[in-house]
Structure formats: structure tokens, C-alpha cells
Amino acid sequence: MVEYILGNYLVGSGKLTDEQLEVVVEQLDKIRVKLGLIAVAEGMMTLAQAEEVNRLQSVMDKRFGDIAVEKGYLTDEQVGHLLSMQGNPYLQFVQAVTESNYMTMAEVEDALSAYQVANNFSDEDIAAIKSGDVDKIAAVFVNSD
């Protein structure tokens, strides 16, 4: 559902084409979100730190989380939280868009902020949309009165 809500906004605002959105949606079932992307999206690591860990991971036989903990960027508890978020639909969408080189993560976040302002959504509304939980999303778009 996130892919259609945000995806249609991105198409309508000229950030993506219909064809690009179709490619992104087709990729979603195949994506397991990278921990670095989640850590940056959650504000637990900087992009530079995530890139450093990715570089180290390419020369070491260690997992991203293990290296990030060794470097002091994350705690074991934070890694556990990040692992629990790997199936998050919003993050899957962001990863599909960025891996397709259609937009950067910063551009997606900027577009989401613009979407929030354009629709007068609260931070809680955006969190509900990002959650992928249909009940929470429906509550954002349906007047509860």
C-alpha cells in the first residue's frame, strides 16, 4: 500500500514516471532491506558510517550489524531493532527506488516531507503510512467521525 500512496505522489510530482514506479513495485517482493539503509532512515547511523561499514563488509567476512557494533556505531539492541524492520514496506520501497537509481534516499525523504506538508499530515500520520499497517493507514485517510 505504501508503494501506491507514495509512488503515486512521486509520479504526480514528476519525481518518477509510471514506468519507473511499475519497475519499483515489481521489485518489492524480492527485496530484503539492507540494515545500513534502515539504520540511516532511523537516524541511528549517518550515511557516511553506513557506507564505511559496507566497505568493510566487502573485505571482511562479517555481517553489517557485527561490524557496526565493533565500530561503536550501533548497540546489539539497535541491531536487533533494525533486523525486525527488514520487512517494512516503506523501507522496501525506498531501497527499490534507490537501487534502481531513480532517486536517492535523501530525495525520497524530501518528497515524503513535501507530501506531508501538501496533505497537512502529522508526524504520526506519516509514521502510520510508513508502517505499512493497513488499519493505521486507513485511519489516516478516513474521517473517524
Side-chain angles (χ1 to χ4, degrees), residues 99-112:
E99 285 185 350
S100 298
N101 293 315
Y102 297 146
M103 297 175 75
T104 66
M105 188 171 165
E107 290 171 331
V108 174
E109 289 291 329
D110 288 345
L112 184 63

Side-chain angles (χ1 to χ4, degrees), residues 30-97:
K30 304 171 195 154
I31 289 182
R32 183 169 169 229
V33 183
K34 296 175 182 172
L35 287 188
L37 184 135
I38 302 170
V40 173
E42 289 292 298
M44 293 180 183
M45 291 177 71
T46 66
L47 183 57
Q49 290 170 330
E51 288 172 347
E52 176 188 358
V53 173
N54 283 331
R55 279 192 305 277
L56 290 171
Q57 192 177 14
S58 69
V59 296
M60 302 170 78
D61 187 26
K62 292 186 177 183
R63 297 178 299 187
F64 182 96
D66 294 335
I67 296 170
V69 169
E70 286 176 12
K71 296 288 291 177
Y73 297 147
L74 297 173
T75 65
D76 287 327
E77 293 78 22
Q78 288 173 314
V79 171
H81 173 72
L82 297 176
L83 288 169
S84 73
M85 295 185 68
Q86 281 189 312
N88 178 279
Y90 170 74
L91 294 172
Q92 288 175 317
F93 179 82
V94 172
Q95 185 166 317
V97 168

Side-chain angles (χ1 to χ4, degrees), residues 5-6 9 112-129 137-142:
I5 295 169
L6 184 55
Y9 174 77
L112 184 63
S113 294
Y115 178 71
Q116 179 177 3
V117 169
N119 291 284
N120 200 28
F121 288 145
S122 68
D123 290 341
E124 292 78 21
D125 294 338
I126 292 300
I129 292 168
I137 293 170
V140 171
F141 291 97
V142 176

